[in-house]
Amino acid sequence: MRRLFPVTDQTPPVSAGSAAPAAVGEGREWSLDELADAYAYPAAEAPHGAWLRANMVSSLDGAAQHDGRSEPISSAADMRIFGTLRALADVVVVGAETVRLEGYRPARAREAFAARRAAAGQGPAPAIAVVSASLDLDFSLPLFTSPLVPTLVLTGAAAPPDRVREAERAGAEVVVAGDGPGVEPGRAVEALAGRGLTRQLTEGGPRLLGQFVAAGVLDELCLTVSPTLTAGDAQRIAGGPAVAVPSRFALASVLEEDGFLFTRYRRTVPV
């Protein structure tokens, strides 16, 4: 990760005596500790009892993926920040379609973050929480059969009972977060927070992120702007129905490497 440095950084200190790293000159790579300090969750939770952060990547022309995957528009530095964000989170919330397309595996423990997680009262790795109405998932995958932390499945009260039983037999914990077949975004955030999972990270996909945006529960967006053009008809980072009034976010920080911009925006008005 060469030449990673802040173009601007308006982030307040994350806690007393702890602030984001100072500007780094060209040619020096940021350490994982510096990245973790820069992306630390705020000390105060949002009014809904948790802090929900999204991490997405977009091409210059607005594509969130190429050929159905985000990897072609990503970079090594993007993946380094991706890993850091995961290492800071209690739980990673992801849509079922993204699990299928991206071949999700369980989050792993990383020695570089072990002391930081222990000091924060966190387990060795974040839990993965899969959002699915139908539970049309392959429960024989390692994500369900051999995670370091049991995988959660977020669904509605009207989910197919046979699929619920299949998920539980595989070792997943089924969490009901909606009265119908699907998940209500606000209830999902609250249900996870009720389990002590207050540092929340969603990695999409676009439909799930759109639902969080529409429900007004997204607190922060970490968006990598990739210096690529894809054309085509790929999805944007957030899909679904438009909100009545656009949500306004404020720029918190920008990092740059090799033309990639690693931006971070926070909600301007608490919900």
mmCIF file of all heavy atoms in Angstrom, residues 11-16 18 35-46 50-55 82 84-93 116-117 120 122 126 197-203 218-220 222 264 266:
data_model
loop_
_atom_site.group_PDB
_atom_site.id
_atom_site.type_symbol
_atom_site.label_atom_id
_atom_site.label_comp_id
_atom_site.label_asym_id
_atom_site.label_seq_id
_atom_site.Cartn_x
_atom_site.Cartn_y
_atom_site.Cartn_z
ATOM 1 N N THR A 11 -11.800 14.315 10.733
ATOM 2 C CA THR A 11 -12.312 13.422 11.759
ATOM 3 C C THR A 11 -11.935 13.903 13.150
ATOM 4 O O THR A 11 -10.758 14.139 13.436
ATOM 5 C CB THR A 11 -11.732 12.015 11.566
ATOM 6 O OG1 THR A 11 -11.917 11.637 10.215
ATOM 7 C CG2 THR A 11 -12.429 11.024 12.483
ATOM 8 N N PRO A 12 -12.907 14.042 14.073
ATOM 9 C CA PRO A 12 -12.562 14.398 15.453
ATOM 10 C C PRO A 12 -11.917 13.218 16.141
ATOM 11 O O PRO A 12 -12.035 12.077 15.679
ATOM 12 C CB PRO A 12 -13.936 14.719 16.072
ATOM 13 C CG PRO A 12 -14.898 13.896 15.281
ATOM 14 C CD PRO A 12 -14.345 13.868 13.883
ATOM 15 N N PRO A 13 -11.220 13.435 17.256
ATOM 16 C CA PRO A 13 -10.650 12.319 18.000
ATOM 17 C C PRO A 13 -11.716 11.310 18.357
ATOM 18 O O PRO A 13 -12.842 11.671 18.702
ATOM 19 C CB PRO A 13 -10.078 12.995 19.256
ATOM 20 C CG PRO A 13 -9.818 14.411 18.836
ATOM 21 C CD PRO A 13 -10.906 14.734 17.855
ATOM 22 N N VAL A 14 -11.389 9.998 18.260
ATOM 23 C CA VAL A 14 -12.371 8.964 18.520
ATOM 24 C C VAL A 14 -12.608 8.772 20.004
ATOM 25 O O VAL A 14 -13.625 8.251 20.418
ATOM 26 C CB VAL A 14 -11.934 7.636 17.874
ATOM 27 C CG1 VAL A 14 -11.876 7.795 16.374
ATOM 28 C CG2 VAL A 14 -10.578 7.184 18.408
ATOM 29 N N SER A 15 -11.678 9.178 20.827
ATOM 30 C CA SER A 15 -11.843 9.122 22.276
ATOM 31 C C SER A 15 -10.770 9.985 22.890
ATOM 32 O O SER A 15 -9.832 10.424 22.218
ATOM 33 C CB SER A 15 -11.731 7.681 22.792
ATOM 34 O OG SER A 15 -10.467 7.148 22.495
ATOM 35 N N ALA A 16 -10.875 10.230 24.172
ATOM 36 C CA ALA A 16 -9.884 11.073 24.837
ATOM 37 C C ALA A 16 -8.500 10.469 24.696
ATOM 38 O O ALA A 16 -8.286 9.297 24.963
ATOM 39 C CB ALA A 16 -10.250 11.222 26.317
ATOM 40 N N SER A 18 -6.941 9.854 21.980
ATOM 41 C CA SER A 18 -6.747 9.035 20.778
ATOM 42 C C SER A 18 -7.265 9.801 19.583
ATOM 43 O O SER A 18 -8.431 10.163 19.527
ATOM 44 C CB SER A 18 -7.502 7.709 20.911
ATOM 45 O OG SER A 18 -7.395 6.965 19.726
ATOM 46 N N LEU A 35 -4.269 2.833 10.353
ATOM 47 C CA LEU A 35 -5.556 2.696 9.666
ATOM 48 C C LEU A 35 -6.681 2.437 10.665
ATOM 49 O O LEU A 35 -7.774 3.006 10.559
ATOM 50 C CB LEU A 35 -5.498 1.559 8.645
ATOM 51 C CG LEU A 35 -4.781 1.850 7.334
ATOM 52 C CD1 LEU A 35 -4.739 0.597 6.468
ATOM 53 C CD2 LEU A 35 -5.468 2.980 6.576
ATOM 54 N N ALA A 36 -6.415 1.570 11.634
ATOM 55 C CA ALA A 36 -7.435 1.253 12.638
ATOM 56 C C ALA A 36 -7.798 2.487 13.455
ATOM 57 O O ALA A 36 -8.970 2.703 13.790
ATOM 58 C CB ALA A 36 -6.953 0.125 13.542
ATOM 59 N N ASP A 37 -6.813 3.328 13.777
ATOM 60 C CA ASP A 37 -7.101 4.566 14.498
ATOM 61 C C ASP A 37 -7.949 5.505 13.635
ATOM 62 O O ASP A 37 -8.892 6.136 14.112
ATOM 63 C CB ASP A 37 -5.807 5.275 14.900
ATOM 64 C CG ASP A 37 -5.100 4.598 16.067
ATOM 65 O OD1 ASP A 37 -5.757 3.808 16.784
ATOM 66 O OD2 ASP A 37 -3.895 4.849 16.249
ATOM 67 N N ALA A 38 -7.599 5.599 12.354
ATOM 68 C CA ALA A 38 -8.311 6.509 11.463
ATOM 69 C C ALA A 38 -9.761 6.081 11.247
ATOM 70 O O ALA A 38 -10.639 6.925 11.057
ATOM 71 C CB ALA A 38 -7.589 6.585 10.114
ATOM 72 N N TYR A 39 -10.007 4.770 11.273
ATOM 73 C CA TYR A 39 -11.350 4.254 10.996
ATOM 74 C C TYR A 39 -12.069 3.773 12.259
ATOM 75 O O TYR A 39 -13.084 3.086 12.169
ATOM 76 C CB TYR A 39 -11.273 3.106 9.990
ATOM 77 C CG TYR A 39 -11.086 3.568 8.567
ATOM 78 C CD1 TYR A 39 -9.822 3.662 8.006
ATOM 79 C CD2 TYR A 39 -12.184 3.905 7.783
ATOM 80 C CE1 TYR A 39 -9.649 4.090 6.698
ATOM 81 C CE2 TYR A 39 -12.022 4.330 6.474
ATOM 82 C CZ TYR A 39 -10.749 4.427 5.932
ATOM 83 O OH TYR A 39 -10.580 4.857 4.638
ATOM 84 N N ALA A 40 -11.569 4.150 13.420
ATOM 85 C CA ALA A 40 -12.187 3.693 14.662
ATOM 86 C C ALA A 40 -13.647 4.133 14.747
ATOM 87 O O ALA A 40 -14.013 5.219 14.292
ATOM 88 C CB ALA A 40 -11.414 4.229 15.862
ATOM 89 N N TYR A 41 -14.475 3.279 15.327
ATOM 90 C CA TYR A 41 -15.877 3.641 15.542
ATOM 91 C C TYR A 41 -15.947 4.774 16.556
ATOM 92 O O TYR A 41 -15.110 4.861 17.454
ATOM 93 C CB TYR A 41 -16.661 2.437 16.066
ATOM 94 C CG TYR A 41 -17.081 1.464 14.980
ATOM 95 C CD1 TYR A 41 -16.174 0.533 14.479
ATOM 96 C CD2 TYR A 41 -18.371 1.487 14.463
ATOM 97 C CE1 TYR A 41 -16.548 -0.349 13.481
ATOM 98 C CE2 TYR A 41 -18.756 0.604 13.468
ATOM 99 C CZ TYR A 41 -17.844 -0.315 12.974
ATOM 100 O OH TYR A 41 -18.211 -1.182 11.979
ATOM 101 N N PRO A 42 -16.943 5.640 16.442
ATOM 102 C CA PRO A 42 -17.079 6.728 17.422
ATOM 103 C C PRO A 42 -17.398 6.179 18.802
ATOM 104 O O PRO A 42 -17.989 5.104 18.944
ATOM 105 C CB PRO A 42 -18.243 7.562 16.867
ATOM 106 C CG PRO A 42 -19.021 6.606 16.020
ATOM 107 C CD PRO A 42 -18.005 5.671 15.432
ATOM 108 N N ALA A 43 -17.013 6.927 19.820
ATOM 109 C CA ALA A 43 -17.239 6.474 21.189
ATOM 110 C C ALA A 43 -18.726 6.417 21.511
ATOM 111 O O ALA A 43 -19.183 5.548 22.254
ATOM 112 C CB ALA A 43 -16.523 7.398 22.169
ATOM 113 N N ALA A 44 -19.507 7.353 20.952
ATOM 114 C CA ALA A 44 -20.945 7.404 21.218
ATOM 115 C C ALA A 44 -21.701 6.681 20.109
ATOM 116 O O ALA A 44 -21.425 6.865 18.922
ATOM 117 C CB ALA A 44 -21.412 8.850 21.319
ATOM 118 N N GLU A 45 -22.659 5.832 20.498
ATOM 119 C CA GLU A 45 -23.476 5.136 19.520
ATOM 120 C C GLU A 45 -24.541 6.073 18.961
ATOM 121 O O GLU A 45 -24.878 7.088 19.551
ATOM 122 C CB GLU A 45 -24.147 3.918 20.165
ATOM 123 C CG GLU A 45 -23.174 2.863 20.653
ATOM 124 C CD GLU A 45 -23.847 1.817 21.516
ATOM 125 O OE1 GLU A 45 -25.048 1.973 21.796
ATOM 126 O OE2 GLU A 45 -23.170 0.861 21.910
ATOM 127 N N ALA A 46 -25.094 5.704 17.808
ATOM 128 C CA ALA A 46 -26.196 6.448 17.227
ATOM 129 C C ALA A 46 -27.453 6.238 18.060
ATOM 130 O O ALA A 46 -27.515 5.324 18.889
ATOM 131 C CB ALA A 46 -26.424 5.979 15.788
ATOM 132 N N ALA A 50 -26.733 1.569 18.016
ATOM 133 C CA ALA A 50 -25.581 0.968 17.340
ATOM 134 C C ALA A 50 -25.018 1.995 16.370
ATOM 135 O O ALA A 50 -25.584 3.077 16.184
ATOM 136 C CB ALA A 50 -25.996 -0.301 16.607
ATOM 137 N N TRP A 51 -23.890 1.668 15.757
ATOM 138 C CA TRP A 51 -23.324 2.508 14.696
ATOM 139 C C TRP A 51 -23.195 1.623 13.460
ATOM 140 O O TRP A 51 -22.430 0.667 13.449
ATOM 141 C CB TRP A 51 -21.969 3.074 15.100
ATOM 142 C CG TRP A 51 -21.423 4.059 14.105
ATOM 143 C CD1 TRP A 51 -20.613 3.802 13.043
ATOM 144 C CD2 TRP A 51 -21.660 5.474 14.074
ATOM 145 N NE1 TRP A 51 -20.328 4.948 12.345
ATOM 146 C CE2 TRP A 51 -20.957 5.993 12.968
ATOM 147 C CE3 TRP A 51 -22.406 6.349 14.884
ATOM 148 C CZ2 TRP A 51 -20.973 7.363 12.646
ATOM 149 C CZ3 TRP A 51 -22.417 7.704 14.565
ATOM 150 C CH2 TRP A 51 -21.704 8.192 13.456
ATOM 151 N N LEU A 52 -23.999 1.940 12.439
ATOM 152 C CA LEU A 52 -24.004 1.150 11.210
ATOM 153 C C LEU A 52 -23.184 1.853 10.148
ATOM 154 O O LEU A 52 -23.511 2.949 9.702
ATOM 155 C CB LEU A 52 -25.436 0.936 10.712
ATOM 156 C CG LEU A 52 -25.556 0.169 9.384
ATOM 157 C CD1 LEU A 52 -24.987 -1.247 9.503
ATOM 158 C CD2 LEU A 52 -27.017 0.128 8.923
ATOM 159 N N ARG A 53 -22.130 1.183 9.734
ATOM 160 C CA ARG A 53 -21.205 1.687 8.725
ATOM 161 C C ARG A 53 -21.310 0.802 7.491
ATOM 162 O O ARG A 53 -21.419 -0.421 7.609
ATOM 163 C CB ARG A 53 -19.791 1.653 9.314
ATOM 164 C CG ARG A 53 -18.653 1.691 8.335
ATOM 165 C CD ARG A 53 -17.327 1.481 9.057
ATOM 166 N NE ARG A 53 -16.913 2.662 9.805
ATOM 167 C CZ ARG A 53 -15.893 2.680 10.654
ATOM 168 N NH1 ARG A 53 -15.201 1.559 10.899
ATOM 169 N NH2 ARG A 53 -15.557 3.789 11.280
ATOM 170 N N ALA A 54 -21.253 1.408 6.316
ATOM 171 C CA ALA A 54 -21.220 0.651 5.067
ATOM 172 C C ALA A 54 -19.865 0.820 4.412
ATOM 173 O O ALA A 54 -19.252 1.889 4.495
ATOM 174 C CB ALA A 54 -22.319 1.120 4.118
ATOM 175 N N ASN A 55 -19.403 -0.219 3.753
ATOM 176 C CA ASN A 55 -18.156 -0.161 2.994
ATOM 177 C C ASN A 55 -18.441 -0.645 1.580
ATOM 178 O O ASN A 55 -18.854 -1.790 1.381
ATOM 179 C CB ASN A 55 -17.084 -1.038 3.643
ATOM 180 C CG ASN A 55 -15.760 -0.967 2.901
ATOM 181 O OD1 ASN A 55 -15.395 0.083 2.378
ATOM 182 N ND2 ASN A 55 -15.039 -2.073 2.856
ATOM 183 N N PHE A 82 -10.550 -2.725 3.602
ATOM 184 C CA PHE A 82 -11.642 -3.690 3.792
ATOM 185 C C PHE A 82 -11.351 -4.579 5.005
ATOM 186 O O PHE A 82 -12.207 -4.779 5.877
ATOM 187 C CB PHE A 82 -11.776 -4.531 2.514
ATOM 188 C CG PHE A 82 -12.706 -5.704 2.600
ATOM 189 C CD1 PHE A 82 -14.036 -5.595 2.230
ATOM 190 C CD2 PHE A 82 -12.243 -6.953 3.013
ATOM 191 C CE1 PHE A 82 -14.899 -6.694 2.292
ATOM 192 C CE2 PHE A 82 -13.087 -8.042 3.083
ATOM 193 C CZ PHE A 82 -14.421 -7.917 2.714
ATOM 194 N N THR A 84 -9.299 -3.972 7.490
ATOM 195 C CA THR A 84 -9.265 -3.169 8.704
ATOM 196 C C THR A 84 -10.671 -2.906 9.216
ATOM 197 O O THR A 84 -10.947 -3.027 10.420
ATOM 198 C CB THR A 84 -8.541 -1.837 8.448
ATOM 199 O OG1 THR A 84 -7.196 -2.105 8.031
ATOM 200 C CG2 THR A 84 -8.523 -0.964 9.687
ATOM 201 N N LEU A 85 -11.585 -2.555 8.322
ATOM 202 C CA LEU A 85 -12.966 -2.287 8.728
ATOM 203 C C LEU A 85 -13.606 -3.532 9.332
ATOM 204 O O LEU A 85 -14.335 -3.452 10.328
ATOM 205 C CB LEU A 85 -13.778 -1.789 7.533
ATOM 206 C CG LEU A 85 -13.370 -0.429 6.973
ATOM 207 C CD1 LEU A 85 -14.239 -0.061 5.773
ATOM 208 C CD2 LEU A 85 -13.447 0.650 8.030
ATOM 209 N N ARG A 86 -13.332 -4.666 8.739
ATOM 210 C CA ARG A 86 -13.850 -5.919 9.310
ATOM 211 C C ARG A 86 -13.280 -6.161 10.705
ATOM 212 O O ARG A 86 -13.980 -6.587 11.612
ATOM 213 C CB ARG A 86 -13.499 -7.098 8.407
ATOM 214 C CG ARG A 86 -14.451 -7.301 7.254
ATOM 215 C CD ARG A 86 -14.297 -8.683 6.673
ATOM 216 N NE ARG A 86 -15.444 -9.034 5.850
ATOM 217 C CZ ARG A 86 -15.771 -10.266 5.528
ATOM 218 N NH1 ARG A 86 -15.021 -11.277 5.939
ATOM 219 N NH2 ARG A 86 -16.828 -10.510 4.780
ATOM 220 N N ALA A 87 -11.996 -5.897 10.848
ATOM 221 C CA ALA A 87 -11.336 -6.171 12.125
ATOM 222 C C ALA A 87 -11.843 -5.267 13.245
ATOM 223 O O ALA A 87 -11.690 -5.600 14.418
ATOM 224 C CB ALA A 87 -9.825 -6.006 11.979
ATOM 225 N N LEU A 88 -12.449 -4.139 12.909
ATOM 226 C CA LEU A 88 -12.978 -3.230 13.912
ATOM 227 C C LEU A 88 -14.427 -3.530 14.279
ATOM 228 O O LEU A 88 -14.928 -3.051 15.294
ATOM 229 C CB LEU A 88 -12.890 -1.783 13.407
ATOM 230 C CG LEU A 88 -11.479 -1.229 13.168
ATOM 231 C CD1 LEU A 88 -11.564 0.147 12.516
ATOM 232 C CD2 LEU A 88 -10.696 -1.155 14.472
ATOM 233 N N ALA A 89 -15.107 -4.311 13.455
ATOM 234 C CA ALA A 89 -16.550 -4.516 13.604
ATOM 235 C C ALA A 89 -16.886 -5.672 14.550
ATOM 236 O O ALA A 89 -16.121 -6.620 14.701
ATOM 237 C CB ALA A 89 -17.176 -4.780 12.237
ATOM 238 N N ASP A 90 -18.060 -5.567 15.170
ATOM 239 C CA ASP A 90 -18.629 -6.688 15.922
ATOM 240 C C ASP A 90 -19.320 -7.667 14.980
ATOM 241 O O ASP A 90 -19.320 -8.874 15.215
ATOM 242 C CB ASP A 90 -19.674 -6.198 16.932
ATOM 243 C CG ASP A 90 -19.099 -5.306 18.014
ATOM 244 O OD1 ASP A 90 -17.940 -5.531 18.408
ATOM 245 O OD2 ASP A 90 -19.804 -4.400 18.468
ATOM 246 N N VAL A 91 -19.933 -7.121 13.928
ATOM 247 C CA VAL A 91 -20.721 -7.948 13.018
ATOM 248 C C VAL A 91 -20.662 -7.351 11.613
ATOM 249 O O VAL A 91 -20.637 -6.133 11.441
ATOM 250 C CB VAL A 91 -22.187 -8.059 13.501
ATOM 251 C CG1 VAL A 91 -22.869 -6.693 13.555
ATOM 252 C CG2 VAL A 91 -22.990 -9.030 12.652
ATOM 253 N N VAL A 92 -20.612 -8.222 10.621
ATOM 254 C CA VAL A 92 -20.650 -7.838 9.209
ATOM 255 C C VAL A 92 -21.994 -8.283 8.649
ATOM 256 O O VAL A 92 -22.297 -9.478 8.640
ATOM 257 C CB VAL A 92 -19.493 -8.480 8.415
ATOM 258 C CG1 VAL A 92 -19.581 -8.094 6.942
ATOM 259 C CG2 VAL A 92 -18.149 -8.080 9.004
ATOM 260 N N VAL A 93 -22.802 -7.331 8.199
ATOM 261 C CA VAL A 93 -24.140 -7.611 7.696
ATOM 262 C C VAL A 93 -24.096 -7.614 6.177
ATOM 263 O O VAL A 93 -23.632 -6.654 5.552
ATOM 264 C CB VAL A 93 -25.145 -6.558 8.199
ATOM 265 C CG1 VAL A 93 -26.569 -6.962 7.838
ATOM 266 C CG2 VAL A 93 -25.007 -6.354 9.707
ATOM 267 N N ARG A 116 -6.204 -5.173 20.059
ATOM 268 C CA ARG A 116 -7.196 -4.101 19.949
ATOM 269 C C ARG A 116 -8.598 -4.632 20.197
ATOM 270 O O ARG A 116 -9.400 -4.022 20.907
ATOM 271 C CB ARG A 116 -7.097 -3.451 18.563
ATOM 272 C CG ARG A 116 -8.020 -2.247 18.358
ATOM 273 C CD ARG A 116 -7.875 -1.704 16.953
ATOM 274 N NE ARG A 116 -6.581 -1.099 16.752
ATOM 275 C CZ ARG A 116 -6.328 0.208 16.892
ATOM 276 N NH1 ARG A 116 -7.302 1.022 17.255
ATOM 277 N NH2 ARG A 116 -5.133 0.684 16.666
ATOM 278 N N ARG A 117 -8.910 -5.800 19.628
ATOM 279 C CA ARG A 117 -10.238 -6.376 19.820
ATOM 280 C C ARG A 117 -10.438 -6.805 21.277
ATOM 281 O O ARG A 117 -11.505 -6.602 21.857
ATOM 282 C CB ARG A 117 -10.458 -7.566 18.879
ATOM 283 C CG ARG A 117 -10.603 -7.157 17.416
ATOM 284 C CD ARG A 117 -10.991 -8.353 16.526
ATOM 285 N NE ARG A 117 -12.308 -8.854 16.871
ATOM 286 C CZ ARG A 117 -13.447 -8.387 16.349
ATOM 287 N NH1 ARG A 117 -13.428 -7.393 15.458
ATOM 288 N NH2 ARG A 117 -14.613 -8.908 16.694
ATOM 289 N N ALA A 120 -11.234 -3.910 23.423
ATOM 290 C CA ALA A 120 -12.582 -3.387 23.172
ATOM 291 C C ALA A 120 -13.666 -4.355 23.632
ATOM 292 O O ALA A 120 -14.856 -4.084 23.446
ATOM 293 C CB ALA A 120 -12.751 -3.085 21.691
ATOM 294 N N GLN A 122 -14.160 -7.364 22.419
ATOM 295 C CA GLN A 122 -14.667 -8.098 21.268
ATOM 296 C C GLN A 122 -14.078 -9.502 21.210
ATOM 297 O O GLN A 122 -13.013 -9.765 21.757
ATOM 298 C CB GLN A 122 -14.323 -7.356 19.967
ATOM 299 C CG GLN A 122 -14.985 -5.993 19.835
ATOM 300 C CD GLN A 122 -14.464 -5.234 18.620
ATOM 301 O OE1 GLN A 122 -13.275 -4.926 18.538
ATOM 302 N NE2 GLN A 122 -15.345 -4.937 17.682
ATOM 303 N N PRO A 126 -15.278 -10.819 13.804
ATOM 304 C CA PRO A 126 -16.682 -10.417 13.759
ATOM 305 C C PRO A 126 -17.578 -11.566 13.303
ATOM 306 O O PRO A 126 -17.137 -12.457 12.570
ATOM 307 C CB PRO A 126 -16.689 -9.285 12.728
ATOM 308 C CG PRO A 126 -15.530 -9.585 11.838
ATOM 309 C CD PRO A 126 -14.485 -10.188 12.730
ATOM 310 N N LEU A 197 -23.889 -6.494 19.608
ATOM 311 C CA LEU A 197 -23.172 -6.247 18.357
ATOM 312 C C LEU A 197 -23.495 -4.833 17.887
ATOM 313 O O LEU A 197 -24.323 -4.618 16.992
ATOM 314 C CB LEU A 197 -23.568 -7.293 17.309
ATOM 315 C CG LEU A 197 -23.417 -8.756 17.754
ATOM 316 C CD1 LEU A 197 -23.963 -9.711 16.701
ATOM 317 C CD2 LEU A 197 -21.958 -9.074 18.066
ATOM 318 N N THR A 198 -22.848 -3.865 18.496
ATOM 319 C CA THR A 198 -23.183 -2.469 18.231
ATOM 320 C C THR A 198 -22.297 -1.830 17.164
ATOM 321 O O THR A 198 -22.699 -0.845 16.541
ATOM 322 C CB THR A 198 -23.083 -1.634 19.519
ATOM 323 O OG1 THR A 198 -21.741 -1.714 20.036
ATOM 324 C CG2 THR A 198 -24.056 -2.153 20.577
ATOM 325 N N ARG A 199 -21.114 -2.368 16.946
ATOM 326 C CA ARG A 199 -20.224 -1.860 15.884
ATOM 327 C C ARG A 199 -20.545 -2.663 14.631
ATOM 328 O O ARG A 199 -20.014 -3.753 14.419
ATOM 329 C CB ARG A 199 -18.756 -2.016 16.280
ATOM 330 C CG ARG A 199 -18.377 -1.341 17.597
ATOM 331 C CD ARG A 199 -16.940 -1.681 17.967
ATOM 332 N NE ARG A 199 -16.552 -1.251 19.294
ATOM 333 C CZ ARG A 199 -16.671 -1.986 20.398
ATOM 334 N NH1 ARG A 199 -17.193 -3.223 20.329
ATOM 335 N NH2 ARG A 199 -16.298 -1.517 21.565
ATOM 336 N N GLN A 200 -21.414 -2.108 13.811
ATOM 337 C CA GLN A 200 -21.964 -2.850 12.687
ATOM 338 C C GLN A 200 -21.374 -2.365 11.369
ATOM 339 O O GLN A 200 -21.182 -1.169 11.158
ATOM 340 C CB GLN A 200 -23.491 -2.721 12.678
ATOM 341 C CG GLN A 200 -24.135 -3.256 13.952
ATOM 342 C CD GLN A 200 -25.633 -3.020 14.010
ATOM 343 O OE1 GLN A 200 -26.246 -2.551 13.050
ATOM 344 N NE2 GLN A 200 -26.249 -3.349 15.144
ATOM 345 N N LEU A 201 -21.114 -3.316 10.485
ATOM 346 C CA LEU A 201 -20.550 -3.028 9.168
ATOM 347 C C LEU A 201 -21.363 -3.781 8.131
ATOM 348 O O LEU A 201 -21.572 -4.993 8.255
ATOM 349 C CB LEU A 201 -19.083 -3.480 9.102
ATOM 350 C CG LEU A 201 -18.413 -3.476 7.726
ATOM 351 C CD1 LEU A 201 -18.252 -2.055 7.208
ATOM 352 C CD2 LEU A 201 -17.054 -4.181 7.797
ATOM 353 N N THR A 202 -21.857 -3.080 7.111
ATOM 354 C CA THR A 202 -22.505 -3.772 6.001
ATOM 355 C C THR A 202 -21.657 -3.620 4.750
ATOM 356 O O THR A 202 -21.114 -2.542 4.485
ATOM 357 C CB THR A 202 -23.935 -3.264 5.751
ATOM 358 O OG1 THR A 202 -24.502 -4.006 4.655
ATOM 359 C CG2 THR A 202 -23.976 -1.778 5.426
ATOM 360 N N GLU A 203 -21.536 -4.715 4.021
ATOM 361 C CA GLU A 203 -20.761 -4.733 2.777
ATOM 362 C C GLU A 203 -21.682 -4.923 1.570
ATOM 363 O O GLU A 203 -21.248 -5.321 0.511
ATOM 364 C CB GLU A 203 -19.719 -5.847 2.844
ATOM 365 C CG GLU A 203 -18.706 -5.613 3.943
ATOM 366 C CD GLU A 203 -17.790 -6.792 4.219
ATOM 367 O OE1 GLU A 203 -18.024 -7.893 3.666
ATOM 368 O OE2 GLU A 203 -16.840 -6.623 4.999
ATOM 369 N N LEU A 218 -28.512 4.235 8.318
ATOM 370 C CA LEU A 218 -27.092 4.220 7.974
ATOM 371 C C LEU A 218 -26.419 5.442 8.585
ATOM 372 O O LEU A 218 -26.844 6.572 8.363
ATOM 373 C CB LEU A 218 -26.888 4.220 6.461
ATOM 374 C CG LEU A 218 -25.428 4.093 6.004
ATOM 375 C CD1 LEU A 218 -24.902 2.693 6.291
ATOM 376 C CD2 LEU A 218 -25.293 4.430 4.525
ATOM 377 N N ASP A 219 -25.366 5.222 9.364
ATOM 378 C CA ASP A 219 -24.660 6.306 10.037
ATOM 379 C C ASP A 219 -23.418 6.767 9.291
ATOM 380 O O ASP A 219 -23.017 7.931 9.411
ATOM 381 C CB ASP A 219 -24.248 5.857 11.445
ATOM 382 C CG ASP A 219 -25.445 5.464 12.292
ATOM 383 O OD1 ASP A 219 -26.298 6.326 12.528
ATOM 384 O OD2 ASP A 219 -25.531 4.284 12.688
ATOM 385 N N GLU A 220 -22.799 5.877 8.531
ATOM 386 C CA GLU A 220 -21.517 6.208 7.911
ATOM 387 C C GLU A 220 -21.333 5.394 6.639
ATOM 388 O O GLU A 220 -21.704 4.223 6.581
ATOM 389 C CB GLU A 220 -20.386 5.900 8.897
ATOM 390 C CG GLU A 220 -18.981 6.209 8.412
ATOM 391 C CD GLU A 220 -17.931 5.920 9.477
ATOM 392 O OE1 GLU A 220 -18.231 6.046 10.678
ATOM 393 O OE2 GLU A 220 -16.802 5.547 9.090
ATOM 394 N N CYS A 222 -18.256 4.349 4.021
ATOM 395 C CA CYS A 222 -16.862 4.305 3.583
ATOM 396 C C CYS A 222 -16.895 3.892 2.112
ATOM 397 O O CYS A 222 -17.208 2.738 1.788
ATOM 398 C CB CYS A 222 -16.063 3.310 4.404
ATOM 399 S SG CYS A 222 -15.957 3.732 6.160
ATOM 400 N N ARG A 264 -14.769 8.801 3.437
ATOM 401 C CA ARG A 264 -15.607 8.427 4.577
ATOM 402 C C ARG A 264 -16.568 9.565 4.858
ATOM 403 O O ARG A 264 -16.154 10.710 5.060
ATOM 404 C CB ARG A 264 -14.732 8.116 5.796
ATOM 405 C CG ARG A 264 -15.465 7.525 6.973
ATOM 406 C CD ARG A 264 -14.461 6.818 7.903
ATOM 407 N NE ARG A 264 -13.387 7.692 8.279
ATOM 408 C CZ ARG A 264 -13.339 8.388 9.424
ATOM 409 N NH1 ARG A 264 -14.329 8.295 10.304
ATOM 410 N NH2 ARG A 264 -12.310 9.150 9.701
ATOM 411 N N ARG A 266 -20.169 10.800 7.065
ATOM 412 C CA ARG A 266 -21.014 10.531 8.222
ATOM 413 C C ARG A 266 -22.305 11.338 8.132
ATOM 414 O O ARG A 266 -22.305 12.451 7.585
ATOM 415 C CB ARG A 266 -20.290 10.851 9.531
ATOM 416 C CG ARG A 266 -19.193 9.844 9.843
ATOM 417 C CD ARG A 266 -18.539 10.116 11.189
ATOM 418 N NE ARG A 266 -17.654 9.014 11.557
ATOM 419 C CZ ARG A 266 -16.932 8.984 12.673
ATOM 420 N NH1 ARG A 266 -16.999 9.999 13.530
ATOM 421 N NH2 ARG A 266 -16.155 7.959 12.941
#
